[in-house]
């Protein structure tokens, strides 16, 4: 059990270390102050190349390139975090694996590239955060290419690729989380993942994710939130591509998601008050491609969004003040091509501005929302399906929306 006023801090710092002003236990109980300043001027690269033939066991590879990163936590006390992270170089992570012959173990690869990252947790505490993240570097890129035309992946494969320019992640248990988050990025952000194989008699998937500015807040056990979020994306383009290919596959999927600004906030046991301002002028593109000559189940799904906000509370009170402006285009394509098989699923979703707010109906929930959305960019979603031989079913959908707003009161878990 944590002692009163105990504060734990940990960080992986590219420039200036976290500093905690908590000289005595009494001072910690009154409130600690954490000052974090990080400046990354140079480029950050991470890369791996493997050539594996007839592997008898698993192939697991992790590759990560991160500009600035800091994390901290507070237990049974209060803390004020003032964080300023500035990324001015490129962040590039690459994974290249050639798999020849028979690979009998599962193939798992994770490739991640990031500009600025901040994570803070609070346990039975009060957390006040003032965070600024800026990325003026040229590129945030994550790439993974797995297999070859003769690869036989008997236990399947999971390929995950993620590129995020700015990230703030907050977590609370029995805590109050408040403050402001300001994120801006002018970098090009892209992710690309691909599987090439001859035979996959198991599940295999490629998941590619690209986000420019990301905020995730999750609090429970009688917590509360009061946060202001400002996000700006001004880079030339944002791109996410996933490609899954096999001659014969049992369960094959390619999934790609590209988002300029994203904020997801969820709470239990208290009130949620959120003010959000999201603006995007970047071109957003998401593409998913799945090909197989013979297949059992095949999926291609892509989603692209300029601005996304989701605020939910499994309790009584939710207040949302939302402003979203998008002038960048959003282009989404999902494609499947095959000959003979069973079930095919193809989906493409594109949205300019999206906001969702919800509260708990069993708690006699109350939701108050003020919403202003403006979209001047083109939004397109295209789903392509080609079956040259015969199959059992095809489920296909394409949805494009300029502005989407959904506010509702629902039962927990719905």
């Amino acid at each position: 059990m944590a002692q009163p006023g105990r504060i734990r801090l940990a960080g992986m710092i590219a420039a200036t270390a976290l500093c905690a002003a908590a000289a005595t236990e009494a001072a910690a109980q009154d409130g600690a102050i954490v000052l974090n300043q990080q400046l990354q001027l140079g480029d950050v690269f991470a890369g791996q190349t493997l050539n594996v033939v007839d592997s008898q066991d698993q192939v697991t590879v992790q590759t990560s390139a991160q500009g600035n990163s800091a994390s901290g936590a507070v237990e049974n006390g209060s803390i004020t975090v003032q964080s300023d992270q500035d990324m001015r170089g490129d962040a590039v992570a690459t994974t290249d694996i050639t798999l020849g012959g028979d690979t009998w173990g599962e193939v798992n690869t994770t490739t991640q590239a990031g500009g600025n990252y901040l994570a803070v947790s609070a346990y039975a505490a009060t957390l006040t955060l003032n965070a600024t993240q800026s990325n003026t570097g040229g590129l945030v890129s994550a790439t993974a290419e797995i297999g070859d035309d003769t690869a036989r992946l008997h236990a399947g494969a999971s390929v995950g690729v993620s590129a995020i320019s700015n990230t703030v992640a907050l977590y609370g248990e029995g805590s109050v989380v408040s403050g402001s988050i300001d994120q801006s990025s002018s970098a090009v952000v892209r992710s690309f993942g691909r599987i090439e194989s001859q035979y996959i008699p198991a599940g295999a998937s490629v998941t590619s994710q690209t986000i420019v500015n990301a905020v995730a807040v999750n609090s429970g056990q009688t917590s509360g939130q009061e946060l202001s979020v400002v996000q700006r994306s001004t880079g030339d383009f944002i791109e996410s591509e996933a490609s899954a290919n096999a001659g014969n596959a049992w369960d094959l999927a390619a999934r790609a998601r590209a988002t300029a600004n994203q904020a997801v906030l969820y709470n239990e046991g208290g009130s949620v008050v959120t003010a959000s301002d999201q603006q995007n002028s970047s071109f957003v593109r998401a593409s998913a491609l799945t090909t197989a000559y013979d297949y059992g189940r095949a999926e291609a799904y892509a989603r692209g969004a300029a601005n996304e906000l989701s605020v939910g509370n499994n309790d009584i009170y939710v207040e949302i003040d939302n402003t979203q402006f998008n002038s960048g285009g959003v282009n989404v394509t999902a494609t499947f091509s095959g000959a003979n098989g069973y079930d095919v699923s193809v989906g493409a979703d594109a949205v300019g501005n999206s906001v969702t707010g919800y509260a708990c109906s069993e708690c006699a929930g109350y939701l108050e929302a003020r919403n202003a959305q403006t979209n001047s960019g083109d939004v397109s979603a295209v789903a392509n399906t080609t079956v040259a031989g015969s199959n059992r079913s095809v489920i296909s959908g394409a949805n494009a929306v300029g502005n989407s707003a959904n506010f509702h009161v629902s039962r927990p878990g719905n």
Side-chain angles (χ1 to χ4, degrees):
M1 182 175 178
Q3 298 176 355
R6 181 181 176 189
I7 297 169
R8 300 183 292 108
L9 295 171
M12 297 182 295
I13 309 303
T16 305
L18 284 171
C19 302
T24 66
E25 185 171 311
Q29 291 172 350
D30 292 338
I33 298 175
V34 174
L35 304 176
N36 176 52
Q37 290 184 316
Q38 295 176 302
L39 172 62
Q40 178 64 35
L41 298 174
D43 299 334
V44 181
F45 293 98
Q48 296 193 61
T49 301
L50 287 80
N51 194 330
V52 181
V53 178
D54 293 334
S55 174
Q56 299 301 308
D57 210 334
Q58 66 177 334
V59 177
T60 300
V61 178
Q62 293 184 339
T63 309
S64 177
Q66 182 71 50
N68 297 310
S69 179
S71 62
V74 57
E75 297 179 37
N76 298 336
S78 62
I79 191 170
T80 297
V81 178
Q82 179 74 45
S83 179
D84 188 351
Q85 296 174 309
D86 189 353
M87 175 67 176
R88 301 186 186 180
D90 296 346
V92 178
T94 60
T95 302
D96 191 346
I97 305 176
T98 300
L99 298 170
D102 297 287
T103 301
W104 295 98
E106 186 175 3
V107 178
N108 286 288
T109 70
T110 302
T111 306
Q112 298 174 321
N116 298 305
Y117 178 85
L118 174 66
V120 185
S121 300
Y123 303 89
T126 299
L127 167 63
T128 302
L129 174 71
N130 294 297
T132 301
Q133 294 180 324
S134 173
N135 189 343
T136 56
L139 179 66
V140 178
S141 174
T143 303
E145 299 188 57
I146 312 300
D148 65 15
D149 291 341
T150 64
R152 293 179 292 276
L153 311 180
H154 293 270
S158 177
V159 177
V161 185
S162 176
I164 305 177
S165 184
N166 294 311
T167 302
V168 172
L170 306 178
Y171 177 75
E173 289 185 7
S175 300
V176 176
V177 180
S178 64
S180 63
I181 300 168
D182 191 324
Q183 298 175 317
S184 63
S185 174
S186 60
V188 170
V189 187
R190 61 178 10 165
S191 64
F192 175 75
R194 180 171 65 188
I195 289 178
E196 295 285 346
S197 62
Q198 181 188 74
Y199 178 50
I200 312 179
S205 65
V206 179
T207 302
S208 181
Q209 175 181 249
T210 301
I211 306 175
V212 177
N213 298 306
V215 171
V217 185
N218 192 344
S219 54
Q221 299 184 7
T222 315
S223 293
Q225 298 178 18
E226 186 173 356
L227 289 166
S228 170
V229 177
V230 176
Q231 296 176 315
R232 299 287 185 268
S233 175
T234 59
D236 290 338
F237 68 91
I238 302 149
E239 186 175 54
S240 177
E241 291 188 67
S243 179
N245 310 276
N248 186 322
W250 290 16
D251 188 351
L252 186 64
R255 304 179 182 100
R257 291 176 178 265
T259 307
N261 298 309
Q262 181 184 85
V264 179
L265 299 87
Y266 177 76
N267 180 72
E268 292 184 356
S271 64
V272 175
V273 178
T274 303
S276 176
D277 184 352
Q278 298 174 320
Q279 294 188 22
N280 172 64
S281 60
S282 306
F283 181 79
V284 180
R285 176 179 177 268
S287 174
L289 170 67
T290 300
T291 65
Y293 187 84
D294 295 314
Y295 55 90
R297 179 182 179 275
E299 177 188 349
Y301 178 76
R303 176 177 172 81
N307 299 306
E308 283 189 312
L309 172 66
S310 175
V311 181
N313 189 21
N314 187 14
D315 208 280
I316 296 174
Y317 189 80
V318 176
E319 182 179 337
I320 302 171
D321 190 345
N322 177 58
T323 301
Q324 294 174 323
F325 179 81
N326 174 52
S327 59
V330 180
N331 179 270
V332 177
T333 304
T335 303
F336 170 77
S337 179
N340 304 300
Y342 286 86
D343 301 318
V344 175
S345 175
V346 180
D349 292 318
V351 62
N353 299 307
S354 174
V355 58
T356 301
Y358 58 95
C360 165
S361 65
E362 284 191 346
C363 318
Y366 174 80
L367 188 150
E368 180 179 326
R370 292 172 293 277
N371 181 50
Q373 296 173 310
T374 303
N375 179 64
S376 61
D378 295 337
V379 180
S380 67
V382 177
N384 301 307
T385 304
T386 302
V387 177
S390 63
N391 79 332
R392 181 168 61 186
S393 69
V394 174
I395 299 174
S396 178
N399 301 285
V401 180
N403 297 304
S404 173
N406 185 12
F407 302 103
H408 58 95
V409 177
S410 66
R411 293 183 182 274
N414 292 343

